Amino acid sequence: MSDYNVLIVEDSPTMRQLIAFALKRIRGVRIVEANDGVDGLKKLSSERFDLILTDINMPIMDGLKLVSLVRNDANYKTIPIVVITTEGAQEDRERALALGANDYITKPIQPTKILDVAKNLLRIA
Amino acid sequence: MQKDDERLVHSRGEEFLQVFKKGAEFTQELLRENERLRFRVLELEKSQVSGEPAPAAELKKLNERIADLEQEKQEILDRIKHVEEENQDFAARYLEIEDENNNLANLYIASYQLHSTLDFKEVLQIITEIIINLIGAEEFAIMLLDEKSDELQAVATEGIERSEIPSFRLGKGIIGTVAQSGENHFASDFDSYERDFSAPMVCIPLKIKEHVIGVLAIYKLLMQKKEFAAVDYELFTLLAGHAATAIFSSRLYSDSERKLSTIQGFIDLLTK
């Protein structure tokens, strides 16, 4: 039985693996991967998650749309969401946070940064 | 006569009595002095028995003890300072090792992904993803060397159109020189760099041992990536090696698949 269920929504398999590898340093974490926003919503409907990490630029449904849908759904609105993206502009960050993202990480990815943010949102000391 | 004698006796008696009285007083005085001295002796004996030192000696002894303790305290403080310095060194080393570990993990995943397929297009896609996500480049081109024409041509680009990148002759310009020498090229000043397809900001040869099969030319970094960290340079070279092997293997496989398909076509034509 895992302590934390984490959903990674990212279209790049390499990127998904890099994020998963960083998160696996948290004890008791279980990772579920989704290819895009629609796949992410499908996975959300089938089980409970403690944290969502999502990219912005994805086919079919992008990350910002996913953030918006999750925040407007009473069943998922309390799940913390972290956006991981190449978009480094301040306005992109503000937009994501305004839609309800809890944190915003820019690429190139730094495993320690991902780990720190995830631990903080999962309330792990 | 008898009266004179009696008077003399009386006078002598009086005199003796006086002397006796004085003697008695003197004896009394001696006894009192003796008593006082005996009391003093007893006092001194008592103080010696209880071992109480004289105040000055006690003070001296205490001062010596304080000096010893002060010295001991200084030694402990010096030791604490030394341990704290050691601790800071260990903390810094821990961070370095953690960074190294993260880079190795990234490299492991990148090489695992690169060698997970033999499809040429997929390999190029994975290299592109790695350069964006791990290196933090926004505009770049993967160029391969055509050994027949000795020209380098772009086979994949990101942020720029492939048609925009001209071909470069081996040994000519920065790209051609990097492909010929096999040495990395980094622009001297990233801040003042302006995009020039013939002079990329970073140019890394894609090498299999000493054999160069192409180059990776970077023209722009992501806006949040201001500069390269020391580890990035190392990562570049390691990734370039893996990318080159993956490209080479996938091309060989694609060629052999193509040949096999052609041969199969001939066989089918002859046998059917």
Side-chain angles (χ1 to χ4, degrees):
Chain A
M1 179 80 184
S2 55
D3 301 325
Y4 309 101
N5 257 7
V6 179
L7 177 66
I8 301 171
V9 189
E10 165 70 65
D11 59 327
S12 156
T14 311
M15 189 62 194
R16 283 204 302 269
Q17 219 174 340
L18 287 165
I19 298 171
F21 207 90
L23 290 175
K24 276 176 188 164
R25 289 193 209 165
I26 298 173
R27 206 189 182 100
V29 78
R30 179 177 161 266
I31 291 159
V32 175
E33 297 179 19
N35 299 319
D36 56 63
V38 172
D39 193 20
L41 280 177
K42 213 185 288 176
K43 303 256 160 84
L44 267 172
S45 64
S46 59
E47 57 185 309
R48 189 192 63 83
F49 287 98
D50 303 292
L51 178 67
I52 300 170
L53 292 106
T54 181
D55 186 14
I56 290 183
N57 301 314
M58 289 182 289
I60 308 175
M61 184 196 284
D62 70 28
L64 293 180
K65 182 76 181 162
L66 176 71
V67 173
S68 168
L69 288 171
V70 169
R71 281 292 167 263
N72 289 312
D73 190 316
N75 294 320
Y76 318 130
K77 67 177 182 185
T78 55
I79 306 173
I81 306 174
V82 182
V83 170
I84 303 179
T85 177
T86 50
E87 312 297 336
Q90 187 60 25
E91 52 265 36
D92 291 314
R93 181 190 184 88
E94 281 165 9
R95 195 167 161 224
L97 296 176
L99 282 170
N102 297 71
D103 215 320
Y104 192 91
I105 298 173
T106 52
K107 293 174 188 176
I109 75 153
Q110 292 161 299
T112 40
K113 176 78 180 161
I114 293 175
L115 203 59
D116 288 348
V117 169
K119 276 184 175 176
N120 183 36
L121 291 172
L122 291 170
R123 298 175 194 282
I124 300 168
Chain B
M1 187 70 184
Q2 196 181 358
K3 274 190 178 180
D4 286 342
D5 289 340
E6 278 176 7
R7 211 179 284 139
L8 187 64
V9 169
H10 187 70
S11 153
R12 287 269 173 100
E14 279 293 318
E15 205 175 317
F16 176 77
L17 199 64
Q18 286 299 322
V19 169
F20 183 79
K21 274 183 180 174
K22 278 184 180 175
E25 279 173 10
F26 184 67
T27 305
Q28 287 291 329
E29 208 173 308
L30 279 175
L31 282 169
R32 279 200 298 275
E33 183 62 18
N34 183 39
E35 190 68 22
R36 195 181 65 78
L37 287 170
R38 277 167 66 89
F39 181 72
R40 180 71 187 135
V41 166
L42 272 172
E43 263 188 344
L44 287 169
E45 277 176 357
K46 199 178 167 187
S47 68
Q48 273 181 347
V49 168
S50 67
E52 281 175 20
E58 173 84 348
L59 202 61
K60 193 183 167 199
K61 209 171 178 181
L62 285 171
N63 279 334
E64 280 170 3
R65 182 77 185 124
I66 287 168
D68 286 348
L69 288 171
E70 283 287 338
Q71 196 182 342
E72 209 172 311
K73 182 184 139 193
Q74 195 53 47
E75 279 170 10
I76 291 168
L77 285 174
D78 289 345
R79 182 92 186 105
I80 289 170
K81 199 177 160 190
H82 180 68
V83 169
E84 273 176 356
E85 280 169 1
E86 259 184 1
N87 201 21
Q88 278 178 345
D89 280 350
F90 283 132
R93 185 76 191 117
Y94 174 80
L95 288 177
E96 272 176 34
I97 289 170
E98 201 179 7
D99 269 353
E100 226 166 276
N101 186 35
N102 287 333
N103 288 324
L104 283 172
N106 287 349
L107 185 69
Y108 164 74
I109 293 165
S111 57
Y112 177 83
Q113 288 289 326
L114 280 170
H115 301 297
S116 66
T117 179
L118 283 169
D119 184 89
F120 182 61
K121 278 188 182 170
E122 217 175 311
V123 168
L124 290 180
Q125 179 59 34
I126 292 168
I127 295 172
T128 305
E129 282 178 11
I130 290 167
I131 296 168
I132 299 169
N133 295 319
L134 282 185
I135 307 290
E138 192 174 343
E139 291 178 1
F140 58 89
I142 301 164
M143 307 183 82
L144 293 183
L145 179 67
D146 181 343
E147 291 190 347
K148 285 178 191 160
S149 63
D150 267 356
E151 280 198 339
L152 289 140
Q153 284 169 338
V155 288
T157 55
E158 177 69 27
I160 31 181
E161 286 299 318
R162 210 167 95 184
S163 56
E164 284 186 85
I165 313 275
S167 58
F168 297 98
R169 281 200 71 78
L170 186 68
K172 301 283 178 195
I174 290 175
I175 291 175
T177 307
V178 167
Q180 193 170 48
S181 66
E183 299 291 330
N184 298 347
H185 161 81
F186 294 95
S188 52
D189 185 8
F190 286 173
D191 291 333
S192 61
Y193 175 81
E194 282 182 23
R195 194 173 77 180
D196 176 356
F197 290 134
S198 62
M201 172 189 263
V202 177
C203 191
I204 308 289
L206 298 170
K207 286 196 291 190
I208 300 170
K209 288 200 174 170
E210 292 313 307
H211 180 66
V212 178
I213 63 154
V215 297
L216 166 64
I218 296 176
Y219 297 102
K220 191 182 175 188
L221 298 176
L222 292 169
M223 66 182 293
Q224 61 271 20
K225 178 92 180 181
K226 302 287 181 206
E227 56 185 1
F228 288 122
V231 288
D232 284 338
Y233 295 101
E234 217 171 312
L235 201 65
F236 259 136
T237 314
L238 290 167
L239 279 175
H242 283 282
T245 318
I247 288 172
F248 191 74
S249 319
S250 63
R251 275 179 113 187
L252 273 182
Y253 184 77
S254 299
D255 286 349
S256 63
E257 280 284 290
R258 202 170 47 245
K259 280 175 190 167
L260 183 70
S261 152
T262 312
I263 293 165
Q264 191 66 51
F266 272 120
I267 292 169
D268 287 349
L269 201 69
L270 290 168
T271 55
K272 282 176 186 172

